[in-house]
Amino acid sequence: VPIGLYISVPFCRSKCSYCNFASDVFSKAAYENYVARLLEDIASSRQFASELGCALDTNADSIYLGGGTPSILDASQLLRIFTTLRAQFTVTPDAETTVECAPGTLTPALIETLLQCGVNRVSLGVQSFIDREAQSVGRLHKRSIVLEEINRLREAGLANINIDLIAGLPHQTAESWAFSLSETIATGVPHASVYMLEIDQDSRLGRELIAGGARYHAHFVPDDDATADFYTQACEMLESAGLQQYEISNFARADVHVQDGELQNNESRHNLKYWTRQPYMGYGVDAHSMLAVDVQKDDRRQAVRFATPDSLDAYMNRTPLTVTPVSPQAAIEESFFLGLRLNRGIDLKSLMKLFKDCHSDPEIAGGEVPVVWKSAIQQCVQDGLLERQDSTLRLTARGRLLSNEVFARFLAEEKVGTGHVNPR
Ligand code: SF4
């Protein structure tokens, strides 16, 4: 199976108040050392995979530079990353190659560099088309700049664009949110992602909201009900404008286009790898990977997940990776939860069949849904959170809104259940 490659670039021009990613503002001097370290890691991919007993396909059909703000690197640094990736992997002609870019940085020179790197998809962290909302959380762009840059990308032949939006930003109202959605639709971009503002201890705005303070415009953050309404509004408006929801936070136009002789739809191939448990390798700070093991040789592990440290210092100081073996039992669980994120849902029969050959549990080996899930499925169906059609199970619109609650119900059942599926 061709692999997906992820490169994390943890540098930003300024830190957004809501951001809980492992990114920060560093001096430009740090970039060069970081890129050198990335190149070293990419070059030793094969040796590393073999030490873990994992298979690593030589073909890659998706590359994703995220972070952080990858577009902050200079042209030579970006070119070296892509050259090293192409030296280690055979990048298929139809590969999806995405770079996350901060609006306000897409100069003609940067676009030229992206094209030289073979980039064919750009993801823009717009978050809001209302200048006051974007600026209240520390974004440095204005609506007019975003629109100008989208045109510039298109003129350069880079029309495969994603726009990220956040529901629940300070000062957001139903009207202003509708405006951001309408603007997104009016741009005609083929893909949009909508996230609800995350409130946790890992961001300045999150901590301020938890503490009940007023810094970072915290007192202008809409309440949970309003944010939930915004999410529902987004699903409805985007859907009726032809941007079909295919995952909890992701929407794509239904049309297909020809790229390098292959038919492509507009769904993010890279993200689909995560949700469908296809192999991927991540490089850099806070980068996650999952590689399959040969289950004929090792039936205790179906795959191995590993993650790099989430701080630049720890990464540069070569702090060891966190390695998590995935048992066949855990693989079923992962396929179930990740697959449910997709609107198409999961086919329970195929899921159980997929794993039955490598499982000693008689119930799973017999292709049955584990007992412990049956009651959670039934309860969620009754509560309108899941819908079941033959052996296909999927979240309802309400289930997507309350997906964390749905997943928590399954995990709670497992804890008190018969032990057929154990939390890792
Ligand atoms: S640009 Fe993105 S990664 Fe950087 S601080 Fe803002 S939200 Fe975080």
Side-chain angles (χ1 to χ4, degrees):
V1 183
I3 193 159
L5 303 169
Y6 174 79
I7 310 288
S8 154
V9 179
F11 308 124
C12 292
R13 289 186 299 165
S14 66
K15 183 78 179 170
C16 306
S17 64
Y18 61 82
C19 179
N20 54 9
F21 299 142
S23 65
D24 219 326
V25 180
F26 293 93
S27 77
K28 282 202 163 210
Y31 302 178
E32 189 55 36
N33 290 340
Y34 184 73
V35 171
R37 177 69 211 284
L38 275 178
L39 303 189
E40 222 182 284
D41 284 357
I42 297 167
S44 50
S45 305
R46 236 149 272 288
Q47 186 196 338
F48 184 68
S50 119
E51 280 165 15
L52 288 175
C54 292
L56 184 62
D57 203 287
T58 47
N59 294 314
D61 66 354
S62 94
I63 301 177
Y64 194 104
L65 262 67
T69 311
S71 55
I72 208 167
L73 297 180
D74 69 29
S76 109
Q77 290 162 340
L78 287 168
L79 284 162
R80 272 182 286 149
I81 292 174
F82 278 96
T83 305
T84 309
L85 287 172
R86 288 174 200 277
Q88 290 299 318
F89 297 92
T90 306
V91 179
T92 60
D94 68 330
E96 176 189 90
T97 304
T98 308
V99 174
E100 284 182 354
C101 295
T105 63
L106 282 153
T107 59
L110 172 60
I111 295 176
E112 185 53 39
T113 302
L114 296 178
L115 291 170
Q116 281 175 23
C117 291
V119 172
N120 55 24
R121 186 171 183 270
V122 168
S123 178
L124 293 173
V126 177
Q127 320 312 356
S128 169
F129 276 98
I130 303 281
D131 292 346
R132 183 188 188 203
E133 292 173 12
Q135 281 155 24
S136 76
V137 288
R139 304 298 293 186
L140 301 173
H141 60 263
K142 292 198 157 137
R143 166 186 168 272
S144 55
I145 300 283
V146 177
L147 298 179
E148 216 173 275
E149 291 185 341
I150 290 175
N151 284 336
R152 194 176 293 154
L153 283 166
R154 283 218 178 94
E155 279 164 15
L158 272 168
N160 195 358
I161 299 168
N162 166 62
I163 286 180
D164 277 350
L165 294 176
I166 297 182
L169 289 180
H171 305 289
Q172 210 165 55
T173 63
E175 292 70 37
S176 74
W177 178 238
F179 181 78
S180 283
L181 292 167
S182 310
E183 287 286 271
T184 302
I185 293 163
T187 62
V189 293
H191 194 282
S193 302
V194 176
Y195 302 99
M196 287 193 273
L197 181 74
E198 286 182 18
I199 299 172
D200 59 32
Q201 293 286 356
D202 294 332
S203 73
R204 285 174 294 152
L205 179 58
R207 287 193 291 277
E208 192 66 11
L209 282 162
I210 291 165
R215 289 183 300 167
Y216 313 117
H217 304 257
H219 50 316
F220 292 115
V221 169
D223 64 25
D224 289 352
D225 287 347
T227 301
D229 288 347
F230 295 167
Y231 173 79
T232 306
Q233 188 183 355
C235 297
E236 289 167 4
M237 277 183 71
L238 294 173
E239 189 88 34
S240 59
L243 281 149
Q244 292 174 358
Q245 187 174 26
Y246 67 98
E247 193 267 348
I248 292 171
S249 304
N250 287 281
F251 303 80
R253 290 198 184 276
D255 58 296
V256 289
H257 55 277
V258 180
Q259 188 186 307
D260 296 300
E262 298 283 332
L263 270 187
Q264 304 271 339
N265 66 20
N266 294 304
E267 297 177 359
S268 161
R269 181 185 289 179
H270 191 79
N271 287 350
L272 279 165
K273 285 189 185 289
Y274 299 141
W275 302 315
T276 56
R277 294 191 77 253
Q278 291 174 49
Y280 52 90
M281 270 292 265
Y283 304 90
V285 170
D286 201 21
H288 295 245
S289 307
M290 191 201 76
L291 295 178
V293 299
D294 185 347
V295 290
Q296 304 299 328
K297 291 185 190 152
D298 181 352
D299 64 357
R300 289 161 304 135
R301 300 182 309 163
Q302 191 271 341
V304 177
R305 289 186 177 276
F306 45 99
T308 54
D310 65 1
S311 86
L312 182 63
D313 272 356
Y315 175 70
M316 294 305 290
N317 291 328
R318 300 176 189 274
T319 302
L321 308 186
T322 311
V323 178
T324 312
V326 181
S327 66
Q329 207 157 309
I332 296 176
E333 224 185 303
E334 286 186 1
S335 303
F336 183 81
F337 289 121
L338 292 170
L340 268 188
R341 296 188 62 89
L342 296 168
N343 281 43
R344 62 176 186 240
I346 46 174
D347 182 61
L348 288 168
K349 263 194 198 146
S350 320
L351 175 65
M352 293 305 147
K353 211 166 140 208
L354 195 63
F355 292 102
K356 79 182 169 87
D357 295 339
C358 60
H359 213 284
S360 54
D361 182 312
E363 187 179 14
I364 292 169
E368 286 294 314
V369 178
V371 167
V372 72
W373 284 351
K374 283 185 180 155
S375 71
I377 291 175
Q378 206 176 14
Q379 195 59 52
C380 286
V381 169
Q382 268 173 22
D383 294 345
L385 297 166
L386 283 174
E387 59 191 7
R388 188 167 180 171
Q389 204 175 16
D390 303 323
S391 69
T392 301
L393 191 68
R394 61 173 76 92
L395 290 167
T396 60
R398 196 170 114 79
R400 280 188 284 280
L401 174 65
L402 302 173
S403 58
N404 287 343
E405 185 187 318
V406 175
F407 300 143
R409 282 194 193 187
F410 279 90
L411 292 172
E413 286 286 340
E414 285 177 13
K415 274 184 191 142
V416 297
T418 56
H420 280 294
V421 178
N422 299 314
R424 280 177 302 285

